[in-house]
């Protein structure tokens, strides 16, 4: 027997392969939906001034329809059946009207979510879509069987008026087209390196609806998000150029104090409100110090941001930047687990992560290929530096330095433009400012600039720059400022000659040690990382040991994984004796070899191997005297990382030879060896 083809099976067979469309709304629900939708559309807000006419027409026609649907609801339709059902032709027609109104609402919602500049660029397409919808609505209103519905004459007049207005939908106003042409013309002028006139720029932004620093910042953020999402392939180049133009306009036209979230931090005890917390050090690339967007693992097992390590390899280097280890190959393996953790952290702390949707390097390449965007950035840098040179009050200087900090935050081109414009000598004196916000903005701007190689030279050759950074590390107003100063030392020390110069500066070393002793976790990490880089230069090791770096690293070894790396670096380049002479140093290294992170265990084992090789019996005796060291070596050889297994095997061979030599001496009457138990894996030749 044939059944209803759309009906669900009467018995529950466990199958979920049949999906049925939702039931159609009743005519009563249909009328209520139409009335509600028309009422919502009649109260729409205009997302941009240049769309005022288009949205006003949507509002007017929706008000007319809301009045008609209201009458239909009240009387239920004079031509309705006994159960309140509408005539079939009327019901079908009104259901089509509902679909059209839903499309209108979707367009309104989409426009509200877009950036204003993108709306202007795509205004022709939007106007065409609105004309099509108006034509469809007019046709449906004309087809509506008003006679069958028995509507009152005044309601018929309202519907007829709405239909006429829909058919009279005019093309985009000339003013809107002129505004779009002006924006595109402005982009072309910037490409020709013509600085926009202030009055023209201000007039255009007012017409777009950008008239204060907050709306300008929001527009920049919206455009950058849309560029990352590839929201409009046709206009991507213009949108990239407009981001640069808006940054320039924000500096030239608007002079508002930065929001508290731009100059302070939640990590600072002294601040009540702040910017999103600094990313955990594990989430930051050891090269760029920025949050990693596309973390990848190199052959040494260390993780870097893809863009940064690609630049490192492109410069001809084949070593691991963090460990100095020569890499067996230059393959990059995506660290998906870490990327997921970073994405989660970004979501929880409301931090934008562009590379979640699109590669950061792709965006950077797009900007680099966009002449208008580059020229706008160059103009912005030049304007800001000139303005900083004549800023006499801390408040005025803070506004400018804040913008320099933002401009230099991403993109090597932006950092180059700011450095070439002469920002560094102007920023250095501001590190002594008593204004906490200005101090933080200035040191962070220098940190951002220092990522570029050419700017490292500018900073190191600027009068008093190194001393000013050291001053921040000791007397900074906030821990965040001190942390960024330590990070700046780390960045500068990546250059061989600067590493020696910074290592010779006793003040810099002392201030870094003070941060390790007293700072919060994130500050300790950056200070230890800077000391690790300085310890990579043999000439520095003696001075670092004399300053007490070994003692400080040992005090932090169970809390910060970089501490073990610092000790390994000291042991490798002449500091082995100083480490062994510290009471309990070997025992703490063995403890870290057993309980630390993978990287800490690697470095603790490497440090022990170096101590034994450099000092011989005095060091080996201390190692073998630590209870359980043999089992720690055996365990690391079994489950450690590749580097940890190699180092553990080396330490095992050293211990095995020492045990054999001690046993031989005991047999010859040369003394009793220290009691030890050596696992079978270590006894193998």
């Amino acid at each position: 027997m044939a059944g209803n083809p759309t009906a669900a099976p009467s018995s529950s067979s466990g199958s979920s392969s049949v999906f049925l469309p939702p039931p159609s709304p009743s005519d009563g629900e249909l009328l209520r939906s139409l009335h509600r939708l028309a009422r919502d559309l009649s109260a729409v807000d205009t997302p941009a001034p240049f769309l005022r006419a288009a949205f006003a027409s949507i509002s007017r026609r929706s008000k007319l329809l809301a009045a008609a649907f209201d009458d239909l609801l009240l009387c239920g339709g004079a031509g309705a059946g006994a159960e309140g059902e509408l005539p079939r032709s009327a019901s079908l027609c009104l259901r089509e009207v509902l679909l059209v109104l839903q499309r209108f609402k979707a367009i309104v919602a989409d426009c509200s979510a877009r950036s204003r500049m993108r709306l202007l660029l795509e205004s022709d397409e939007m106007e065409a879509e609105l004309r099509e919808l108006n034509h469809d609505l007019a046709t449906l209103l004309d087809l509506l069987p008003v006679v069958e519905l028995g509507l009152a004459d005044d309601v018929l007049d309202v519907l007829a008026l709405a239909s006429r207005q829909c058919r009279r939908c005019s093309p985009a106003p000339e003013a809107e087209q002129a505004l779009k042409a002006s924006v595109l013309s402005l982009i072309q002028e910037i490409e020709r390196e013509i600085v926009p006139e202030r009055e023209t720029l201000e007039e255009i932004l007012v017409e777009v609806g950008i008239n204060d620093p907050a709306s300008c910042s929001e527009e920049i953020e919206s455009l950058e998000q849309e560029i990352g999402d590839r929201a409009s392939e046709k206009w991507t180049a213009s949108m990239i150029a407009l981001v640069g133009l808006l940054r320039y306009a924000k500096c030239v036209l608007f002079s508002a104090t930065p929001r508290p979230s731009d100059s302070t931090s939640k990590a600072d005890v002294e601040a009540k409100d702040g910017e999103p917390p600094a990313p955990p050090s594990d989430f930051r690339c050891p090269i760029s110090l920025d949050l990693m967007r596309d973390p990848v693992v190199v052959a040494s097992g260390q993780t870097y941001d893809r863009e940064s390590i690609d630049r490192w390899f492109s410069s001809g280097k084949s070593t691991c930047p963090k460990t100095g280890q020569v890499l067996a190959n230059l393959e990059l393996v995506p660290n998906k687990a870490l990327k997921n953790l970073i994405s989660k952290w970004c979501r929880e702390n409301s931090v934008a992560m562009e590379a979640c949707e699109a590669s950061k390097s792709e965006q950077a390449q797009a900007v680099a290929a966009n002449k208008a965007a580059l020229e706008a950035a160059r103009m912005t840098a030049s304007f800001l530096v000139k303005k900083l040179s004549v800023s006499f009050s801390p408040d005025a200087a803070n506004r400018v330095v804040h913008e320099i900090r933002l401009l230099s935050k991403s993109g090597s081109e932006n950092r180059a433009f700011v450095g070439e414009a002469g920002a560094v000598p102007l920023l250095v004196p501001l590190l002594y400012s008593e204004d906490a916000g200005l101090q933080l903005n200035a040191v962070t701007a220098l940190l951002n600039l220092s990522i570029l190689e050419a700017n490292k030279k500018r900073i190191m050759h600027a009068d008093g720059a190194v001393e000013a950074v050291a001053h921040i590390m000791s007397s900074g107003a906030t821990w965040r400022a001190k942390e960024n100063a330590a990070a700046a030392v780390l960045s500068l020390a990546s250059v061989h000659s600067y590493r020696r110069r910074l290592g010779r500066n006793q003040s810099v070393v002392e201030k870094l040690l003070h941060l390790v002793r007293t700072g919060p976790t994130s500050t300790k990490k950056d200070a230890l990382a800077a000391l690790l880089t300085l310890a990579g230069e043999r000439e520095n090791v003696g001075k670092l040991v004399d300053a007490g770096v070994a003692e400080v690293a040992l005090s932090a070894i169970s809390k910060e994984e970089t501490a073990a790396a610092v000790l390994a670096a000291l042991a490798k380049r002449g500091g082995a004796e100083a480490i062994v002479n510290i009471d309990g140093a070997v025992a703490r290294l063995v403890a870290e070899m057993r309980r630390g992170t993978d990287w800490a265990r690697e470095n603790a084992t490497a440090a022990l191997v170096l101590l034994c090789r450099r000092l011989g019996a005095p060091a080996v005796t201390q190692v073998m005297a630590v209870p359980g060291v043999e089992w720690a070596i055996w365990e690391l050889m079994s489950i450690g990382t590749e580097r940890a297994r190699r180092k553990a095997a080396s330490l095992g061979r050293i211990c095995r030879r020492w045990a054999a030599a001690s046993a031989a001496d005991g047999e010859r009457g040369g003394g009793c060896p220290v009691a030890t138990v050596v696992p079978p894996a270590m006894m193998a030749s």
Side-chain angles (χ1 to χ4, degrees):
M1 181 175 64
N4 187 342
T6 63
S10 58
S11 62
S12 178
S13 61
S15 171
S16 59
S17 60
V18 178
F19 295 96
L20 304 179
S24 299
S26 66
D27 288 338
E29 292 172 341
L30 171 65
L31 291 174
R32 285 190 291 273
S33 296
L34 285 167
H35 182 257
R36 183 170 55 252
L37 196 49
R39 188 178 55 201
D40 291 346
L41 287 171
S42 67
V44 295
D45 294 325
T46 305
F50 55 84
L51 292 177
R52 191 175 291 114
F55 274 65
S57 66
I58 293 174
S59 178
R60 283 194 303 270
R61 291 156 196 167
S62 298
K63 287 177 182 177
L64 293 174
L65 293 176
F69 298 145
D70 186 50
D71 188 77
L72 273 170
L73 272 173
L74 288 175
C75 65
E83 298 181 0
E85 294 182 356
L86 296 171
R88 178 171 175 76
S89 58
S91 177
L92 291 174
C93 189
L94 289 174
R95 290 176 194 278
E96 292 297 322
V97 171
L98 179 65
L99 293 176
V100 172
L101 293 183
Q102 287 172 339
R103 289 173 63 192
F104 268 114
K105 188 172 183 179
I107 290 178
V108 169
D110 185 44
C111 289
S112 299
R114 295 187 196 182
S115 65
R116 292 181 175 90
M117 285 297 186
R118 181 182 160 206
L119 277 176
L120 181 61
L121 294 173
E122 295 180 336
S123 58
D124 291 341
E125 293 90 334
M126 191 199 68
E127 293 285 351
E129 190 171 0
L130 286 177
R131 280 196 299 273
E132 180 182 350
L133 285 179
N134 275 295
H135 181 270
D136 291 345
L137 182 57
T139 301
L140 290 171
L141 292 177
D142 290 343
L143 292 174
L144 186 65
V146 292
V147 176
E148 295 181 22
L149 289 171
L151 297 174
D153 291 342
D154 56 344
V155 178
L156 297 179
D157 292 341
V158 167
L159 290 173
L161 177 59
S163 175
R164 288 197 300 274
Q165 287 186 357
C166 288
R167 293 197 181 282
R168 215 168 37 233
C169 183
S170 57
E174 292 183 5
E176 181 181 313
Q177 297 298 319
L179 177 60
K180 180 177 177 179
S182 298
V183 169
L184 295 176
S185 176
L186 206 58
I187 293 174
Q188 293 174 355
E189 288 182 4
I190 293 174
E191 288 179 347
R192 298 196 299 271
E193 303 180 25
I194 300 173
V195 179
E197 294 183 5
R198 180 189 177 98
E199 293 77 12
T200 302
L201 190 57
E202 185 174 16
E203 181 181 340
I204 288 175
L205 291 191
V206 168
E207 291 185 43
V208 174
I210 301 172
N211 45 29
D212 56 50
S215 60
C216 193
S217 297
E218 290 173 4
E219 182 69 9
I220 291 171
E221 292 172 5
S222 296
L223 276 171
E224 288 180 330
Q225 182 64 45
E226 289 168 348
I227 292 167
D229 293 341
R230 296 183 175 87
S232 178
E233 295 287 351
K234 176 181 177 181
W235 295 106
T236 295
S238 297
M239 290 162 66
I240 292 172
L242 286 170
V243 169
L245 176 62
L246 287 171
R247 285 193 177 129
Y248 175 75
K250 183 183 175 185
C251 299
V252 173
L253 301 180
F254 308 122
S255 56
T257 303
R259 293 171 290 182
S261 61
D262 293 324
S263 57
T264 57
S265 171
K266 288 180 181 176
D268 300 327
V269 177
E270 300 85 350
K272 292 182 180 179
D273 298 312
E275 63 187 15
S281 60
D282 293 340
F283 293 176
R284 292 161 59 180
C285 176
I287 299 174
S288 70
L289 306 179
D290 287 338
L291 185 70
M292 286 188 279
R293 312 291 177 168
D294 187 10
V296 293
V297 181
V298 299
S300 65
Q302 301 302 317
T303 298
Y304 302 93
D305 191 58
R306 184 183 294 275
E307 182 183 4
S308 298
I309 195 65
D310 277 341
R311 283 201 306 268
W312 177 271
F313 290 155
S314 298
S315 66
K317 299 170 184 173
S318 58
T319 57
C320 173
K322 193 170 182 178
T323 66
Q325 177 183 350
V326 177
L327 300 176
N329 59 70
L330 303 184
E331 294 180 5
L332 302 177
V333 180
N335 191 334
K336 295 182 180 179
L338 180 59
K339 185 172 183 178
N340 291 335
L341 289 174
I342 294 174
S343 299
K344 180 181 178 182
W345 182 88
C346 288
R347 289 193 301 271
E348 291 175 349
N349 293 278
S350 301
V351 174
M353 188 178 180
E354 300 89 348
C356 289
E357 304 297 336
S359 168
K360 183 182 177 184
S361 60
E362 289 179 5
Q363 293 185 39
Q365 291 169 4
V367 172
N370 191 302
K371 182 171 174 57
L374 289 177
E375 289 304 324
R378 191 194 305 274
M379 292 174 188
T380 304
S382 177
F383 175 85
L384 288 171
V385 173
K386 287 179 182 177
K387 193 169 183 179
L388 182 60
S389 66
V390 297
S391 296
F392 300 106
S393 70
D395 186 56
N398 192 26
R399 291 194 293 267
V400 178
V401 175
H402 169 72
E403 294 299 335
I404 291 175
R405 169 186 172 180
L406 292 181
L407 184 62
S408 60
K409 187 176 181 180
S410 61
S412 57
E413 294 83 9
N414 291 344
R415 296 182 185 113
F417 296 150
V418 174
E420 291 166 0
V424 171
L426 299 174
L427 290 170
V428 170
L430 301 180
L431 300 186
Y432 294 97
S433 172
E434 295 181 359
D435 184 293
L438 176 56
Q439 190 184 80
L440 175 59
N441 279 325
V443 72
T444 308
L446 279 176
L447 170 59
N448 293 341
L449 291 172
S450 72
I451 296 170
L452 186 70
E453 204 80 8
N455 285 335
K456 286 181 171 64
K457 181 177 180 180
R458 294 185 175 101
I459 295 171
M460 292 298 295
H461 287 77
D463 290 340
V466 174
E467 291 72 18
V469 171
H471 166 77
I472 289 285
M473 288 193 290
S474 63
S475 305
T478 62
W479 281 115
R480 186 65 181 278
K482 295 176 181 180
E483 177 184 327
N484 287 351
V489 173
L490 170 61
S491 177
L492 295 169
S494 64
V495 176
H496 184 70
S497 58
Y498 301 153
R499 190 182 309 152
R500 289 200 301 267
R501 179 178 163 188
L502 290 167
R504 289 195 299 266
N505 191 310
Q506 185 177 0
S507 177
V508 169
V509 176
E510 289 177 352
K511 301 305 187 296
L512 288 171
L513 290 174
H514 178 71
L515 292 181
V516 178
R517 292 190 188 101
T518 63
T521 300
S522 59
T523 307
K524 287 179 187 286
K525 288 181 183 294
D526 281 333
L528 280 168
L531 288 171
L532 174 60
T533 305
L534 295 179
E537 186 66 39
R538 181 175 294 276
E539 181 183 311
N540 292 340
V541 170
K543 299 179 180 65
L544 295 176
V545 168
D546 292 341
V549 171
E551 291 86 350
V552 171
L554 275 169
S555 69
I557 196 169
S558 61
K559 304 167 187 172
E560 302 295 339
E561 64 175 3
T562 310
V566 172
L567 291 168
L570 293 176
K572 183 177 182 179
R573 298 174 180 86
E577 186 174 358
I579 295 172
V580 168
N581 289 337
I582 299 172
D583 187 34
V586 170
R588 300 195 72 170
L589 283 167
V590 172
E592 187 72 355
M593 185 177 73
R594 298 180 66 179
R595 295 188 293 271
T597 64
D598 285 346
W599 190 49
R601 297 174 81 183
E602 287 177 16
N603 286 299
T605 312
L608 290 169
V609 170
L610 289 163
L611 294 178
C612 293
R613 286 176 175 171
R614 298 290 191 272
L615 303 177
V620 182
T621 302
Q622 288 195 41
V623 172
M624 295 301 294
V626 179
V629 65
E630 301 92 347
W631 293 104
I633 295 172
W634 176 68
E635 181 184 37
L636 204 55
M637 289 173 64
S638 302
I639 63 172
T641 63
E642 183 180 351
R643 180 175 178 241
R645 290 197 297 270
R646 291 200 311 271
K647 296 299 180 182
S650 297
L651 186 60
R653 285 193 294 272
I654 291 171
C655 293
R656 191 167 58 249
R657 290 166 186 161
W658 178 88
S662 297
D665 287 344
E667 291 175 0
R668 292 192 298 268
C672 296
V674 177
T676 182
V677 177
V678 183
M682 289 178 57
M683 295 300 296
S685 58

